[in-house]
């Protein structure tokens, strides 16, 4: 709160003359009332008054006084303790302020005195001009809501109205960001093409006025119009021929030409400032999204297991897209189970359930990206209640869809095409990370399962007592996997299932609960497995119709597998846990593996020699698995490095975008200066050099941008010479700084070939980078195109020759393998592998000729 000495003096004089208790000047800003000047009201009562003004009916009452321009009064409740019985409001004309007076009763003379005071204050306020120019140092340009509130205030003060709202364009919709006297409008999103008034305004970029009774009165986009409202106007905020927002106002009386002109003039002056604020806001969001890639590399890629990956990924996406409607679905390696990750009340919840019949199944089968703008007009069923828009991105690894990443929002059109591209980049790296992590987890799980099997075999070898075998197995299962209950039932001599072994912390409790009853429930989970031989994994027994609890024991999750020999069912293994979501697909695989071994032991206890051989094989397998796990960890480190390089590439494209704007400005102003500069001017040569160099820099930026826009592969007849020219323009400076002499020999008669222009640029760029790495101390680099005939076909040849360290004969057989690198120059080992894939996909071949210390020549042959 602030006091102005001159205004406070006027209020004191008026209080003394009218015998009023207190007076304040209040202003409505951003939907709330602020006390600007206070007289004879202590801080406790000031807070009470602010609380009273924040009530909806009081706010509406005061807004009515402002819009009507009339004095109003009302009784004050005694419990407010404001030291007055009545409450008087005197609007300050042409502003969003009111003079509020507390008194037991104001006489007619007193009311006239306060009206005169309000008029004087209004005149004083009209002299205070507030041009809307964003102050970059104060942070206004970085605060879009605050800037739009200031725009709203300017329009409220410009002409008398009953209500106003300001909307900013986002894509094909207008988002209402600020309102005055229309609290329901804020946050609304208006589709431009869905409303005839907004369509007309978007095409003409001229204001639209509508009187009650005209045809379009019922099509008003939004407005809490009060009874008696007869006039509505919508003024465009435009930059050139582009609509960036609108301002809507309404009132009882039709505006005259002067008022409409004043609004149009105000909109024209304010629009450029709004453009600056919106641009800064979008740039901030853009940089925030780019930071997501860096965060992904630094946090998600360092996760140790799938649950950590999901938790960190959800945290990043939740902060970046301001939503908690996030899901991750991972299909098991055998395609039977889906791992369902959801963000529930800020925590990641995971459950493993059957893929059959799951809502994600058709998306996994289709394997393509979906961006739902508005679920109300789209046939795609979303995954979260009340979600309006969605990004459904496939996780693809080596051509197969291994899962789906879903981000949804309660807002319409919450995700842009840029968000879609960003999610595709993240999903591509996430898929590889998930697959390697899953392979490691499965390998560790199988190693743990094999250790269990090894222990079981060691302890039961030579035993012919099935009960002893079953009990040892049950105890070991509960011990190795920390299960609350592990039960093994085998078919006895009477061809009935009976408990042969039971282990775990709750084994005794279950035995007492059964008390002679059958463990296998005919219509339950165990009964179905015993009948069909098909394994069942349940992570929430409360949602499973087949589950039947045992007296005194109720599980939260359960895994049940059959012990089979061929088509014959010898028994079942049933493990349970009190907690929900206690089991993963790895637990199911481990129990199925154990069931296979147990079947062998039960069916033939005399196969001692075979089991000894199996023990030897298991030990060898364990060693092999450990070696594979180590190799996988090494591959993961390389994948993380590749992800970092991809993130750097994305950021480089962003930098190129930012450089393009200032270069355009330099070019434009240089041309204008040259037009006005006399031919004989001493400075003309320098200005021409500035223009030439700016154009050259713009050309390099354009080529970099063209190269960074990686879209869908598009093949067409094109010139291989153009590819060479584009790449040389991009790398010439890099080649020069490496002290390498470049020689380019182009065959001008080379026919065009059928190719993807961007992919061929990638091929040449990779070969040039490899050549530069092979010449750390400088050297000679030659790039040449030619045409040759081999056999019955003509070929276009692109060759890159360097004078570097060369490649040994042994390494020449492996250089096109993924991740193969000698580690001498810090490479990822992916460049030549990607190059080889692109060339072979074009029906071509790539050949290498090299000797140690005598340089290398890579020749790419493409069919003409």
């Amino acid at each position: 709160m602030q006091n102005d000495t001159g205004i406070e003096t006027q209020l004191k004089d008026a209080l003394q003359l009218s015998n009023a208790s207190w007076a304040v000047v209040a202003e409505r800003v951003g939907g709330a009332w602020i006390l600007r000047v206070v007289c004879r009201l202590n801080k406790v009562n000031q807070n009470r008054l602010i609380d009273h003004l924040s009530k909806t009916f009081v706010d509406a009452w005061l807004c009515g006084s402002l819009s009507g321009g009339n004095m109003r009064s009302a009784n004050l409740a005694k419990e407010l303790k404001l030291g007055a019985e009545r409450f008087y409001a005197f609007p300050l004309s042409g502003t969003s302020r009111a003079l509020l007076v507390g008194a037991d009763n104001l006489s007619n003379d007193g009311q006239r005195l306060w009206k005169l005071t309000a008029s004087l204050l209004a005149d004083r306020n009209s002299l205070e001009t507030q041009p809307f120019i964003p102050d970059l140092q104060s942070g206004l340009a970085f605060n879009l809501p605050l800037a739009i509130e200031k725009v709203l205030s300017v329009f409220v003060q410009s002409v008398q109205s009953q209500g106003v709202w300001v909307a900013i364009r986002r894509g094909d919709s207008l988002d209402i960001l600020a309102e005055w006297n229309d609290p329901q409008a804020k946050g609304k999103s208006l589709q431009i093409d869905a409303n005839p008034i907004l369509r007309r305004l978007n095409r003409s970029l001229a204001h639209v006025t509508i009187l009650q009774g005209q045809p379009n009165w019922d099509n008003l986009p939004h407005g809490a119009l009060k009874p008696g409202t007869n006039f509505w106007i919508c003024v465009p905020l435009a930059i050139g021929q582009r609509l960036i927002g609108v301002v809507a106002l309404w009132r009882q009386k039709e505006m005259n030409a002067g008022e409409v002109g004043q609004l149009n003039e105000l909109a024209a002056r304010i629009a450029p400032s709004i453009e600056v604020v919106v641009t800064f806001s979008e740039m901030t969001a853009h940089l925030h999204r780019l930071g997501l890639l860096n965060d992904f590399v630094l946090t998600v890629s360092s996760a140790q297991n799938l649950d950590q990956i999901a938790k960190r990924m959800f945290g990043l996406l939740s902060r970046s897209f301001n939503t908690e409607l996030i899901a991750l679905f991972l299909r098991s390696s055998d395609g039977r189970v889906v791992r369902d990750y959801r963000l529930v009340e800020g925590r990641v919840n995971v459950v493993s359930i059957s893929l059959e019949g799951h809502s994600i199944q058709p998306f996994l089968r289709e394997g393509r990206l979906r961006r739902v703008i508005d679920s109300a007009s789209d046939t795609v069923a979303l995954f979260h209640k009340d979600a309006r828009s969605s990004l459904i991105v496939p996780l693809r690894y080596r051509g197969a869809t291994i899962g789906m990443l879903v981000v949804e929002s309660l807002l319409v059109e919450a995700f842009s095409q840029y968000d879609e591209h960003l999610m595709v980049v993240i999903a591509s790296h996430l898929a590889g990370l998930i697959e390697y992590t899953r392979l490691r987890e499965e390998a560790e799980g199988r190693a743990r399962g094999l250790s269990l099997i090894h222990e079981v075999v060691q302890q039961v070898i030579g035993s012919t007592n099935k009960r002893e075998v079953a009990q040892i197995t049950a105890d070991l299962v509960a011990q190795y996997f920390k299960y609350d209950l592990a039960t093994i039932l085998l078919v006895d001599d009477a061809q009935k299932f009976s408990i042969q072994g039971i282990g775990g912390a709750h084994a005794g409790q279950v035995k007492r609960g059964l008390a002679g009853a059958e463990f296998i429930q005919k219509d339950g989970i165990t009964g179905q497995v015993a009948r069909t031989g098909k394994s069942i994994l349940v992570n929430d027994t409360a949602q499973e119709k087949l589950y039947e609890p045992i007296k005194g024991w109720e599980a939260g999750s359960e895994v049940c597998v059959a012990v089979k020999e061929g088509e014959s069912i010898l028994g079942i293994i049933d493990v349970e846990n009190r907690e929900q979501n206690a089991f993963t697909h790895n637990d199911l695989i481990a129990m199925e593996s154990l069931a296979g071994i147990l079947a062998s032991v039960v069916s033939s206890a005399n196969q001692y020699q075979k089991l000894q051989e199996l023990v030897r094989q298991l030990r060898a397998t364990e060693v092999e698995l450990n070696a594979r796990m180590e190799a996988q960890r090494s591959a993961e480190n390389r994948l993380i490095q590749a992800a970092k390089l991809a993130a750097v590439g994305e950021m480089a494209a962003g930098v190129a975008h930012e450089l393009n704007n200032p270069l355009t400005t330099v070019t434009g102003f240089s041309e204008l200066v040259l037009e006005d500069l006399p031919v004989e001017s001493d400075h003309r040569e320098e200005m021409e050099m500035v223009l030439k160099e700016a154009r050259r820099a713009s050309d390099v930026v354009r080529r970099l941008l063209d190269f960074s826009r990686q879209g869908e592969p598009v093949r067409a007849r094109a010139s291989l010479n153009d590819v060479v020219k584009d790449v040389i323009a991009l790398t010439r400076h890099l080649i020069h700084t490496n002290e390498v002499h470049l020689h380019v020999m182009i065959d001008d008669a080379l026919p065009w070939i059928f190719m993807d222009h961007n992919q061929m640029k990638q091929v040449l760029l990779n070969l040039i980078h490899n050549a530069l790495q092979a010449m750390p101390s400088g050297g000679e680099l030659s790039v040449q195109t030619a045409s040759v005939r081999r056999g019955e076909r003509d070929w276009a040849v692109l060759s890159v020759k360097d004078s570097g360290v060369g490649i040994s004969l042994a390494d020449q057989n492996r250089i096109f393998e993924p991740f193969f690198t000698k580690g001498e120059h810090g490479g990822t080992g992916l460049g030549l592998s990607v190059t080889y894939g692109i060339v072979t996909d074009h029906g071509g071949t790539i050949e290498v000729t090299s000797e140690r210390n005598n340089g290398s020549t890579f020749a790419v042959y493409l069919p003409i």
Side-chain angles (χ1 to χ4, degrees):
M1 301 175 190
Q2 61 185 18
N3 279 346
D4 182 287
T5 305
I7 296 177
E8 188 177 7
T9 301
Q10 287 181 295
L11 297 182
K12 285 181 179 179
D13 293 341
L15 286 172
Q16 186 173 359
L17 293 173
S18 63
N19 293 322
S21 301
W22 50 263
V24 299
V25 175
E27 182 178 9
R28 192 176 189 270
V29 178
W33 289 91
I34 299 174
L35 304 187
R36 295 299 190 190
V37 183
V38 181
C39 189
R40 292 188 186 177
L41 198 64
N42 60 37
K43 290 196 173 182
V44 174
N45 285 342
Q46 289 176 27
N47 292 331
R48 290 173 181 169
L49 179 60
I50 291 174
D51 290 340
H52 185 59
L53 298 180
S54 66
K55 295 177 181 178
T56 303
F57 70 92
V58 178
D59 178 56
W61 182 78
L62 286 173
C63 287
S65 176
L66 290 179
S67 61
N70 300 318
M71 183 273 289
R72 289 187 175 184
S73 65
N75 291 327
L76 285 173
K78 291 183 179 180
E79 55 267 22
L80 292 176
K81 299 179 180 180
L82 289 175
E85 295 180 357
R86 292 188 65 78
F87 176 49
Y88 296 85
F90 300 90
L92 304 188
S93 177
T95 72
S96 57
R97 297 184 177 187
L99 175 59
L100 309 181
V101 179
D104 292 338
N105 188 29
L106 279 180
S107 63
N108 292 334
D109 290 339
Q111 292 181 24
R112 283 194 292 270
L113 173 63
W114 283 109
K115 285 182 182 179
L116 177 60
T117 303
S119 176
L120 293 174
L121 294 179
D123 291 340
R124 175 180 183 141
N125 186 79
S126 64
L127 298 176
E128 299 173 1
T129 59
Q130 296 182 352
F132 181 74
I133 301 175
D135 183 358
L136 302 184
Q137 293 181 345
S138 69
L140 180 59
F142 302 96
N143 191 331
L144 181 60
L146 179 61
I148 301 306
E149 285 288 350
K150 190 167 181 65
V151 170
L152 176 73
S153 175
V154 172
F155 276 94
V156 168
Q157 296 177 25
S158 63
V159 296
Q160 187 177 359
S161 59
Q162 289 181 321
V164 185
W165 52 254
V166 180
I168 299 301
R169 184 168 187 171
R170 182 169 58 85
D172 293 328
S173 62
L174 290 165
D175 294 344
I176 300 178
L177 301 185
E179 55 76 30
W180 181 74
N181 208 16
D182 186 10
Q184 295 180 352
K186 194 169 185 177
K188 295 286 185 181
S189 182
L190 309 176
Q191 295 295 316
I192 295 176
D193 290 338
N195 185 277
I197 299 174
L198 296 180
R199 283 202 307 269
R200 171 184 165 190
L201 186 141
N202 185 39
R203 287 196 304 267
S204 66
L205 295 181
H207 71 269
V208 176
T209 58
I210 301 175
L211 294 171
Q212 188 175 26
Q214 291 182 344
N216 270 332
W217 183 260
D218 294 333
N219 294 324
L220 296 183
H222 183 81
L225 304 183
K226 296 182 179 180
T229 300
N230 297 307
F231 178 78
W232 186 90
I233 183 171
C234 191
V235 181
L237 300 172
I239 299 294
Q241 297 299 312
R242 179 166 53 88
L243 182 70
I244 65 169
V246 299
V247 180
L249 306 91
W250 56 93
R251 68 183 194 183
Q252 293 177 328
K253 184 181 178 182
E254 182 179 0
M255 292 184 184
N256 58 41
E259 291 175 310
V260 173
Q262 181 181 353
L263 290 177
N264 284 323
E265 181 184 357
L266 187 59
R269 287 193 295 110
I270 285 179
S273 298
I274 294 179
E275 173 80 349
V276 171
V277 177
V278 172
T279 300
F280 271 103
S281 178
E282 291 177 350
M283 287 172 60
T284 302
H286 174 76
L287 293 174
H288 184 65
R289 296 285 201 273
L290 286 179
L292 177 60
L293 283 175
N294 187 52
D295 290 343
F296 173 83
V297 173
L298 295 177
T299 60
V300 178
S301 298
S302 62
Q304 299 300 312
N305 53 54
L306 291 177
D307 291 348
Q308 278 190 10
I309 290 174
K311 184 176 180 180
R312 295 180 182 184
M313 191 74 246
F314 282 23
L316 287 176
L317 295 178
S318 179
R319 292 193 300 272
S320 297
F321 293 103
N322 195 27
T323 179
E324 291 195 350
L325 308 184
I326 306 172
L328 174 65
F329 304 96
L330 300 179
R331 178 163 47 189
S332 63
S333 54
D334 59 7
R336 293 185 297 170
V337 176
V338 63
R339 206 165 181 174
D340 186 332
Y341 292 88
R342 306 282 182 111
L343 194 59
V344 180
E345 296 179 355
R347 299 181 61 184
V348 177
N349 184 50
V350 58
V351 59
S352 296
I353 55 179
S354 174
L355 179 59
E356 187 66 31
H358 195 285
S359 56
I360 199 63
Q361 188 177 21
F363 294 94
L364 287 170
R365 188 183 301 116
E366 189 179 46
R368 71 182 183 90
L369 183 143
R370 291 286 193 93
R371 178 162 65 100
V372 179
I373 295 176
D374 186 358
S375 59
S377 58
D378 201 300
T379 57
V380 177
L382 302 189
F383 296 90
H384 296 87
K385 184 180 178 183
D386 299 328
R388 294 295 303 276
S389 56
S390 178
L391 269 179
I392 306 171
V393 187
L395 303 177
R396 297 183 64 82
Y397 182 75
R398 292 185 177 176
T401 302
I402 64 170
M404 303 295 290
L405 180 61
V406 179
V407 184
E408 297 180 339
S409 174
L410 299 175
L411 302 176
V412 175
E413 201 177 355
F415 307 105
S416 65
Q417 191 172 17
Y418 174 78
D419 295 328
E420 179 181 319
H421 295 164
L422 178 68
M423 289 298 294
V424 168
V425 174
I426 290 175
S428 66
H429 298 307
L430 183 63
L433 180 63
I434 286 175
E435 189 64 15
Y436 278 113
T437 303
R438 182 161 60 184
L439 286 174
R440 189 187 69 241
E441 286 188 357
E442 288 182 359
E444 291 173 348
R446 288 174 182 175
R448 191 169 65 249
L450 287 172
S451 298
L452 168 63
I453 294 170
H454 173 69
E455 187 73 21
V456 169
V457 172
Q458 287 283 64
Q459 294 200 30
V460 304
I461 195 72
S463 175
T464 58
N465 187 326
K466 291 195 296 184
R467 182 174 292 276
E468 180 183 359
V469 170
Q471 187 58 53
I472 291 173
T473 305
D475 288 337
L476 288 174
V477 167
Q479 174 187 338
Y480 267 76
F481 293 97
K482 309 298 182 185
Y483 296 150
D484 289 341
L485 181 67
T487 309
I488 297 179
L489 297 93
L490 300 174
V491 176
D492 56 22
D493 295 336
Q495 297 300 306
K496 292 185 177 180
F497 287 92
S498 60
I499 294 179
Q500 301 292 323
I502 183 168
H506 298 277
Q509 182 179 343
V510 171
K511 286 180 180 178
R512 292 190 297 271
L514 287 171
E518 293 287 338
F519 183 85
I520 290 187
Q521 302 291 333
K522 181 179 178 181
D523 297 324
I525 294 174
T526 52
Q528 180 160 327
V529 173
R531 186 170 57 255
T532 64
K534 294 182 178 180
S535 304
I536 294 179
L537 167 64
V538 177
N539 264 311
D540 187 359
T541 56
Q543 304 297 324
E544 178 55 58
K545 296 179 181 178
L546 291 176
Y547 178 74
E548 296 182 16
I550 298 172
K551 183 180 179 181
W553 165 256
E554 185 167 352
S557 47
E558 180 177 0
V559 173
C560 189
V561 301
V563 179
K564 297 190 297 183
E565 184 182 32
E567 297 299 322
S568 177
I569 298 177
L570 306 178
I572 64 170
I573 301 176
D574 184 80
V575 295
E576 301 180 11
N577 206 306
R578 277 195 179 278
E579 301 295 328
Q580 296 178 352
N581 304 317
F583 302 120
T584 66
H585 187 61
N586 288 338
D587 294 299
L588 179 63
I589 293 175
M591 291 303 102
E592 288 178 337
S593 301
L594 179 61
I597 297 299
L598 191 59
S600 299
V601 175
V602 171
S603 63
S604 179
N606 296 322
Q607 296 181 357
Y608 178 79
Q609 295 297 330
K610 292 183 179 179
L611 290 177
Q612 283 294 93
E613 178 63 20
L614 180 61
V615 170
R616 187 190 66 77
Q617 293 177 358
L618 290 174
R619 287 174 176 168
T621 302
E622 185 176 5
V623 173
E624 180 184 351
L625 283 173
N626 288 333
R628 288 177 61 187
M629 288 164 56
E630 184 61 32
Q632 287 169 2
R633 290 191 186 97
S634 177
E636 285 173 5
N637 292 333
R638 292 172 178 172
L639 183 64
I640 291 171
Q641 181 65 20
K644 291 179 179 178
L645 292 177
V648 170
E650 290 289 327
M651 294 177 68
V655 171
H657 273 290
E658 296 303 320
L659 287 175
N660 198 42
N661 290 335
L663 284 173
T664 301
T665 303
V666 171
T667 302
F669 279 101
S670 297
E671 291 173 345
L672 291 175
V673 171
L674 282 172
E675 287 180 3
D676 296 334
L677 201 63
V679 176
E680 64 277 10
S681 173
D682 295 335
H683 301 290
R684 187 171 186 87
E685 183 178 352
E686 287 86 350
M687 286 306 302
E688 288 175 344
M689 182 179 297
V690 169
L691 179 59
K692 177 182 177 182
E693 291 302 310
R695 285 174 175 170
R696 186 177 69 83
S698 296
D699 187 61
V700 172
V701 170
R702 178 186 61 78
R703 292 174 186 271
L704 182 59
L705 283 173
D706 290 343
F707 181 72
S708 67
R709 295 189 183 107
Q710 296 293 331
E712 291 294 326
V714 177
R715 295 189 185 178
R717 289 179 56 79
S719 171
L720 191 60
N721 291 337
D722 289 345
V723 172
V724 174
K725 293 174 182 177
D726 287 348
V727 174
I728 292 301
L730 283 173
T731 58
R732 187 180 296 276
H733 179 70
L734 179 63
I735 293 171
H736 177 72
T737 56
N738 279 268
E739 297 183 356
V740 172
H741 298 287
L742 174 66
H743 307 280
V744 180
M745 291 159 281
I746 290 179
D747 183 359
D748 294 331
L750 183 68
W752 284 18
I753 61 174
F754 194 67
M755 67 176 180
D756 184 298
H757 191 271
N758 280 334
Q759 287 187 341
M760 282 302 111
K761 287 167 67 175
Q762 179 72 58
V763 167
L764 181 54
L765 190 62
N766 286 347
L767 294 178
I768 290 176
H769 280 179
N770 276 3
L772 294 178
Q773 289 177 353
M775 297 183 290
S777 301
E780 301 290 330
L781 175 65
S782 298
V783 179
Q784 182 176 2
T785 61
S787 60
V788 299
R789 186 169 184 82
R790 278 188 171 185
E792 301 297 324
R793 192 160 195 176
D794 292 325
W795 299 82
V797 184
L798 170 64
S799 63
V800 178
K801 181 179 180 181
D802 65 68
S803 60
V805 296
I807 307 170
S808 68
L809 185 60
D811 289 342
Q812 288 180 34
N813 296 324
R814 299 189 60 198
I815 57 175
F816 296 111
E817 293 179 6
F819 299 113
F820 177 76
T821 176
K822 299 300 289 183
E824 299 170 359
H825 310 291
T828 63
L830 291 172
L832 287 178
S833 175
V834 171
T835 298
Y836 181 84
I838 294 173
V839 172
T840 55
D841 192 44
H842 280 72
T845 61
I846 181 169
E847 299 177 358
V848 58
T849 305
S850 180
E851 292 182 11
R852 293 296 291 178
N853 301 319
N854 284 326
S856 304
T857 300
F858 285 83
V860 176
Y861 290 83
L862 298 171
I864 297 178

